[in-house]
Amino acid sequence: MDKRSASVADAVADIPDGATVMIGGFGGSGAPIELIHALILAGPKGLTVVNNNAGNGHVGLAALIEQGQVDKLICSFPRSADPKAFTDLYQAGGIELELVPQGTLAERIRAGGAGIPAFYTPTSYGTDLAKGKPTAEFDGRTYVQERWLKADYALIKGELGDPMGNLTYRMAARNFNPVMAMAATRTIAQVSRFVETGGIEPEVVITPGIFVSTVVEVPNPQQEEVLIRQKAVFP
Amino acid sequence: MDKRSASVADAVADIPDGATVMIGGFGGSGAPIELIHALILAGPKGLTVVNNNAGNGHVGLAALIEQGQVDKLICSFPRSADPKAFTDLYQAGGIELELVPQGTLAERIRAGGAGIPAFYTPTSYGTDLAKGKPTAEFDGRTYVQERWLKADYALIKGELGDPMGNLTYRMAARNFNPVMAMAATRTIAQVSRFVETGGIEPEVVITPGIFVSTVVEVPNPQQEEVLIRQKAVFP
Amino acid sequence: MSINLENIQLNNAQIAWRAAQDIEDGAYVNLGIGFPEMVAQFQPEGREAIFHTENGVLGFGKAAEAGEEDWDLINAGKKAVTIKPGTAFFHHADSFAMVRGGHLDVAILGAFQVAQNGDLANWSTGRGGVPAVGGAMDLVHGARRVAVITDHVTKKGAPKLVDACTMPLTGVGCVTRVYTSLCVVDVVEGRFVLREKLAAISMDDLQSVTGAVLHVGDTVKDLTTPSL
Amino acid sequence: MSINLENIQLNNAQIAWRAAQDIEDGAYVNLGIGFPEMVAQFQPEGREAIFHTENGVLGFGKAAEAGEEDWDLINAGKKAVTIKPGTAFFHHADSFAMVRGGHLDVAILGAFQVAQNGDLANWSTGRGGVPAVGGAMDLVHGARRVAVITDHVTKKGAPKLVDACTMPLTGVGCVTRVYTSLCVVDVVEGRFVLREKLAAISMDDLQSVTGAVLHVGDTVKDLTTPSL
């Protein structure tokens, strides 16, 4: 079994127009910049993107939005130091936004990966974000019903990856990456270093290979936060 | 912060009659034998126990049942090589059994720990185990509603533990232990080795200390499977 | 029953061997406890299957040698197994996320009865005693293909492929293929479709030991296995 | 408003200091992004609080020094932090399991408005623009104590403690205590109960800048803080 791909371009080549794509990361931490940039170069349009944020500056997700490739964004916090790409398009009515509380977003994605079509949460009860959603009472308290969230593709960033797709993550760059890996039909992981099968101790694997379709090595990956401070623009 | 306890006897001393107690392990793998035996010596009665199984031989959970301390068992598979303790009591009407599919049991426990009061699963739909449970259709398929499961105490077994309660597990002995740690008001972990705070790498922690109340060191813990093959009897 | 199945039917090893031939390279597979575990022995050369066990191990290796067992490293049948390069451990909720979330390619289970609509009964005889379900009800909704391996009839000669299950169900409409001691049958739109049968049994005789109509597909191949 | 609050009210650091005094030793604490992050600076000597951040870190250390930032190690406010012995990393679903599952002892958040029944509005001004919620709606249902730190009135002088929120809600009946620039108030059975107030302001003046009735508890202590 060898899930390794030779390049980020190859790894994202078959993502079609209209696909739903989960993109890992929380701000720049854990954002798979090289995979996102490969997706920009590949050029599919009409994407629905799931990410905690809406991008920052003119790289990564912000650049993908700036290129007009995203029709809909599902996120919790479309604010950043420089969210111009998203904000301009949103205010011009050029992109749809589904705003989801952060914990509900994480749980909906995990539910998608775990085969749980719906669940109840106290989060958002009584607020505008619960409007139109079913509610139910359990043990005297009212909860909101939320649906699973799945995707056609997930683009994620790991630290180590082996040919079977087993992954580790670096510090807080873990964030949404492992749950998105579970919830997509095809999960494409960039990793900072390939190791041979067996190169990750079984107890230390965070994402088992069953959740991963493709692994591509990107040594010394770019950090979105650093790019933004450098005022980088892609492409 | 120091969650360490000097002995298994101290660690379980305040578990009262009538408590709901989750006990980690899958068969003998990951079963906290020394904590269970301490609970037998402490002697609370009328317990509700959550475990995947119903014990085996005359040690561990089987011994707890044999001592008449368990009024109700919530489990998926009350069969083993020698389930006499449970079987005799069950057939005499002396113990209540709530049979739960194994994946539903794990998910109900995780839901208890994650603040999800109810969720839907395809598991058990159309079977006797779904009788009386609400169902709902999502995307043309029917699912069964299941409720969270919580406990007053969890007795679990880890490999390394630090004073903050951070834990690792040994191989497949992980099983139900991490989710039970999340779902109990007080989680008591026996570990094979104490390490100092910082002795477990942050990326390698499986159960963060927030889920653990008490850690007690039991070097060279007994293995239920080995005890059973030795025909051990406790107490 | 006019025919003596004893002399012609496949033994358990041969049924397991046949099921193993359909496991594609790179497949993620869960084998039910007991008889289905035997399938792992017959993995075709040159194909790699990754085995999952409910208690939180993916990609485990062979059974542990007697005397070498580590009882912290067991499978769902509580037998000691071994790790190999690429093995991963995870907790029970993650393990059943793999199952319920549809991440397995194949689950292979035993059966008391399989109905022509794919209903499976394999967890309870309904005759009292202590009920035990384990992970069976999860597995039948987890894998893309849910296969059953079974003798074609019970020890008393009653058909195990039936119009409708009379025993307590494990899952509704979940089975996709059945490997029996006499034939290979797919469940297609509420009907049993025969794909392979032993050359030694006639269609009429096969139908006579089957509790539901066997529809004939485009072709019915001979079911052949090595001597095992 | 007849009184000039400018001269008497606490500054942000003093409000944060006061809130920090109630964090018990060993508490698990989440500080909302922005102003609430300041509470960490005033942890009383000899007490250890363990800080949680939504993006999957428990027990992190101080802010990273300028030039020493590792942008893979940030908090929910996207500021670079540091690890210390005992830090643990985990994924987002596990992180919000800690929150929603009631494992945190204290969450401290900012507010636009707090109602006497504990309703909180802190995520949207309701005035259009791009809405953004982050983890606020989860946090208000997560911790055993949900505290708010805030100026007592808005920059325009409007009360932030109100009968009923007029701005979009973050959560219903969730706030347990409010630390303002003038007083400390608990939410008890649908009423604001005053626990502490600055000596420099009279009850009447305090009530006049409060949008709901302030009930007086058994004792009202003087609210005192160091100069900060």
Side-chain angles (χ1 to χ4, degrees):
Chain A
M1 171 168 280
D2 192 348
K3 297 181 176 179
R4 290 176 294 181
S5 175
S7 72
V8 288
D10 287 356
V12 304
D14 65 351
I15 300 182
D17 288 354
T20 295
V21 183
M22 291 179 175
I23 301 180
F26 181 85
S29 171
I33 292 290
E34 285 78 4
L35 284 175
I36 302 171
H37 287 177
L39 186 64
I40 290 171
L41 297 180
K45 308 279 185 204
L47 303 175
T48 294
V49 169
V50 183
N51 182 270
N52 187 63
N53 302 99
N56 195 1
H58 305 276
V59 295
L61 175 55
L64 186 69
I65 292 169
E66 219 159 26
Q67 295 300 313
Q69 292 174 256
V70 182
D71 278 5
K72 181 179 178 181
L73 186 67
I74 302 175
C75 80
S76 90
F77 204 78
R79 254 182 232 152
S80 65
D82 179 12
K84 194 171 182 315
F86 174 78
T87 304
D88 288 356
L89 200 60
Y90 178 73
Q91 289 178 334
I95 191 167
E96 187 184 344
L97 172 66
E98 179 179 340
L99 193 72
V100 183
Q102 195 174 136
T104 298
L105 183 63
E107 190 67 11
R108 288 178 63 193
I109 295 167
R110 190 226 170 237
I116 302 293
F119 60 89
Y120 289 93
T121 174
T123 300
S124 93
Y125 172 66
T127 77
D128 292 349
L129 296 189
K131 278 186 183 155
K133 293 181 178 170
T135 59
E137 194 176 305
F138 298 99
D139 308 331
R141 189 171 172 191
T142 311
Y143 297 85
V144 179
Q145 187 191 94
E146 295 281 356
R147 293 297 314 278
W148 64 14
L149 200 51
K150 297 188 181 206
D152 302 308
Y153 292 84
L155 305 184
I156 66 168
K157 182 181 184 177
E159 175 70 0
L160 303 181
D162 75 9
M164 299 186 75
N166 292 309
L167 304 178
T168 67
Y169 300 90
R170 182 165 182 272
M171 303 199 289
R174 189 180 303 186
N175 57 62
F176 280 94
N177 287 295
V179 284
M180 288 183 172
M182 296 168 69
T185 306
R186 288 186 61 80
T187 292
I188 302 164
Q190 68 170 70
V191 298
S192 301
R193 190 153 66 86
F194 275 149
V195 295
E196 62 190 9
T197 298
I200 306 173
E201 286 294 312
E203 265 110 352
V204 171
V205 171
I206 301 299
T207 293
I210 192 171
F211 296 130
V212 177
S213 313
T214 304
V215 191
V216 57
E217 189 180 45
V218 179
N220 305 310
Q222 294 181 294
Q223 230 296 346
E224 185 184 274
E225 189 66 30
V226 173
L227 293 177
I228 287 161
R229 283 160 192 253
Q230 293 167 346
K231 303 194 187 303
V233 176
F234 189 89
Chain B
M1 171 170 279
D2 193 347
K3 297 181 175 179
R4 290 175 296 180
S5 176
S7 72
V8 290
D10 286 356
V12 304
D14 65 352
I15 300 181
D17 288 354
T20 295
V21 183
M22 292 181 175
I23 300 180
F26 180 86
S29 171
I33 292 291
E34 285 79 3
L35 284 176
I36 302 171
H37 288 177
L39 186 64
I40 290 171
L41 297 180
K45 308 278 186 204
L47 304 175
T48 293
V49 169
V50 183
N51 182 270
N52 186 63
N53 302 98
N56 195 1
H58 306 276
V59 296
L61 175 55
L64 186 69
I65 292 169
E66 219 159 24
Q67 295 300 314
Q69 293 174 254
V70 182
D71 277 5
K72 180 179 178 180
L73 185 67
I74 301 175
C75 80
S76 90
F77 204 78
R79 254 180 231 151
S80 66
D82 179 13
K84 195 172 182 313
F86 174 78
T87 304
D88 288 356
L89 201 58
Y90 178 74
Q91 289 177 336
I95 190 167
E96 187 184 346
L97 171 67
E98 180 179 341
L99 192 72
V100 182
Q102 195 175 135
T104 298
L105 183 63
E107 190 67 12
R108 288 178 63 192
I109 296 167
R110 190 227 169 235
I116 302 293
F119 60 89
Y120 289 93
T121 174
T123 300
S124 92
Y125 172 66
T127 77
D128 291 350
L129 296 190
K131 279 185 183 153
K133 293 181 180 169
T135 60
E137 194 177 304
F138 298 99
D139 309 330
R141 189 172 171 189
T142 312
Y143 296 85
V144 179
Q145 187 190 97
E146 295 281 356
R147 293 298 314 278
W148 64 14
L149 200 52
K150 297 187 181 208
D152 302 309
Y153 292 85
L155 305 183
I156 67 169
K157 181 181 184 177
E159 175 70 359
L160 304 181
D162 75 10
M164 298 185 75
N166 293 309
L167 304 178
T168 67
Y169 300 90
R170 183 166 181 271
M171 302 200 289
R174 190 179 303 187
N175 56 62
F176 280 94
N177 287 296
V179 285
M180 288 180 171
M182 296 167 69
T185 306
R186 287 187 61 81
T187 291
I188 302 163
Q190 68 169 70
V191 298
S192 300
R193 188 154 67 86
F194 274 149
V195 295
E196 62 189 9
T197 297
I200 307 174
E201 285 294 312
E203 265 109 352
V204 172
V205 170
I206 300 299
T207 293
I210 193 171
F211 297 129
V212 176
S213 314
T214 304
V215 191
V216 57
E217 189 180 45
V218 179
N220 305 311
Q222 294 181 294
Q223 230 298 344
E224 185 185 274
E225 188 68 29
V226 174
L227 292 177
I228 288 161
R229 282 160 192 253
Q230 293 168 344
K231 302 193 187 304
V233 176
F234 188 89
Chain C
M1 187 166 48
S2 59
I3 49 162
N4 187 342
L5 300 180
E6 290 295 319
N7 298 331
I8 57 165
Q9 72 184 357
L10 302 181
N11 61 32
N12 277 358
Q14 290 171 307
I15 300 171
W17 178 91
R18 176 61 192 86
Q21 306 313 302
D22 287 345
I23 300 178
E24 58 270 40
D25 186 38
Y28 291 94
V29 182
N30 184 296
L31 302 176
I33 69 178
F35 171 27
E37 291 178 56
M38 195 185 275
V39 172
Q41 299 172 24
F42 301 113
Q43 222 179 304
E45 273 288 311
R47 289 193 222 158
E48 182 186 12
I50 299 92
F51 293 103
H52 168 269
T53 184
E54 293 94 306
N55 54 315
V57 194
L58 186 71
F60 56 94
K62 293 183 187 301
E65 301 283 333
E68 306 275 304
E69 299 95 343
D70 183 325
W71 296 109
D72 283 347
L73 181 54
I74 60 177
N75 66 12
K78 316 246 161 77
K79 296 193 187 71
V81 295
T82 57
I83 61 168
K84 59 181 189 179
T87 298
F89 298 121
F90 34 87
H91 64 52
H92 243 87
D94 281 349
S95 183
F96 280 90
M98 291 179 193
V99 172
R100 205 189 303 102
H103 302 282
L104 297 173
D105 295 295
V106 191
I108 300 181
L109 303 165
F112 297 149
Q113 293 179 321
V114 182
Q116 57 192 347
N117 68 347
D119 286 2
L120 173 67
N122 80 344
W123 77 281
S124 164
T125 59
R127 270 189 251 114
V130 179
V133 67
M137 286 190 185
D138 305 281
L139 282 168
V140 297
H141 294 296
R144 293 187 196 99
R145 298 197 290 117
V146 176
V148 159
I149 56 175
T150 179
D151 279 333
H152 199 83
V153 298
T154 67
K155 281 179 186 150
K156 292 183 175 171
K160 299 182 85 166
L161 302 189
V162 294
D163 267 337
C165 293
T166 55
M167 297 170 84
L169 291 187
T170 307
V172 171
C174 52
V175 175
T176 57
R177 173 165 274 203
V178 186
Y179 304 92
T180 80
S181 48
L182 300 177
C183 63
V184 177
V185 165
D186 282 341
V187 174
V188 182
E189 293 167 6
R191 310 189 309 172
F192 285 131
V193 178
L194 184 67
R195 300 300 187 194
E196 299 180 17
K197 72 169 184 63
L198 293 176
I201 190 168
S202 70
M203 264 307 300
D204 284 354
D205 283 348
L206 182 61
Q207 183 63 70
S208 74
V209 291
T210 306
V213 176
L214 285 176
H215 295 267
V216 175
D218 294 345
T219 57
V220 176
K221 293 187 194 162
D222 281 351
L223 169 55
T224 58
T225 76
S227 298
L228 292 166
Chain D
M1 189 166 49
S2 60
I3 50 162
N4 186 344
L5 300 180
E6 289 297 318
N7 298 330
I8 57 166
Q9 72 184 357
L10 302 181
N11 61 31
N12 278 358
Q14 290 171 308
I15 301 171
W17 179 91
R18 176 61 192 86
Q21 306 314 301
D22 287 345
I23 300 177
E24 58 270 41
D25 187 38
Y28 292 94
V29 181
N30 185 295
L31 302 177
I33 69 177
F35 171 28
E37 291 177 57
M38 195 185 276
V39 172
Q41 299 171 25
F42 301 112
Q43 223 179 303
E45 274 288 311
R47 289 193 222 158
E48 181 185 14
I50 299 94
F51 293 104
H52 168 270
T53 184
E54 293 95 304
N55 53 314
V57 194
L58 187 71
F60 56 93
K62 292 185 187 301
E65 300 285 333
E68 305 275 303
E69 299 95 343
D70 183 326
W71 297 109
D72 283 349
L73 181 56
I74 59 177
N75 66 12
K78 315 246 162 78
K79 296 194 187 70
V81 295
T82 56
I83 61 168
K84 60 181 187 179
T87 298
F89 298 121
F90 34 86
H91 65 55
H92 244 86
D94 281 349
S95 183
F96 280 90
M98 291 179 192
V99 172
R100 205 190 302 103
H103 303 281
L104 296 173
D105 295 296
V106 190
I108 300 181
L109 303 165
F112 297 148
Q113 294 179 322
V114 181
Q116 58 191 346
N117 68 347
D119 287 1
L120 173 66
N122 79 345
W123 77 281
S124 165
T125 59
R127 272 188 250 113
V130 179
V133 66
M137 286 189 186
D138 306 281
L139 282 167
V140 297
H141 293 297
R144 291 185 199 102
R145 298 198 291 118
V146 175
V148 160
I149 58 175
T150 179
D151 278 335
H152 198 83
V153 298
T154 67
K155 282 177 186 152
K156 293 183 174 172
K160 299 182 84 166
L161 302 189
V162 295
D163 266 339
C165 293
T166 55
M167 297 169 84
L169 292 186
T170 307
V172 172
C174 53
V175 175
T176 56
R177 172 165 275 204
V178 186
Y179 304 92
T180 81
S181 48
L182 300 177
C183 64
V184 177
V185 165
D186 282 341
V187 174
V188 181
E189 294 168 4
R191 311 190 309 172
F192 285 130
V193 178
L194 184 67
R195 301 300 186 194
E196 299 179 16
K197 73 168 183 64
L198 293 176
I201 190 167
S202 70
M203 263 309 299
D204 285 353
D205 283 347
L206 181 60
Q207 183 64 69
S208 74
V209 292
T210 305
V213 176
L214 285 177
H215 296 268
V216 176
D218 293 345
T219 57
V220 177
K221 292 187 194 162
D222 281 349
L223 169 56
T224 57
T225 74
S227 299
L228 291 167

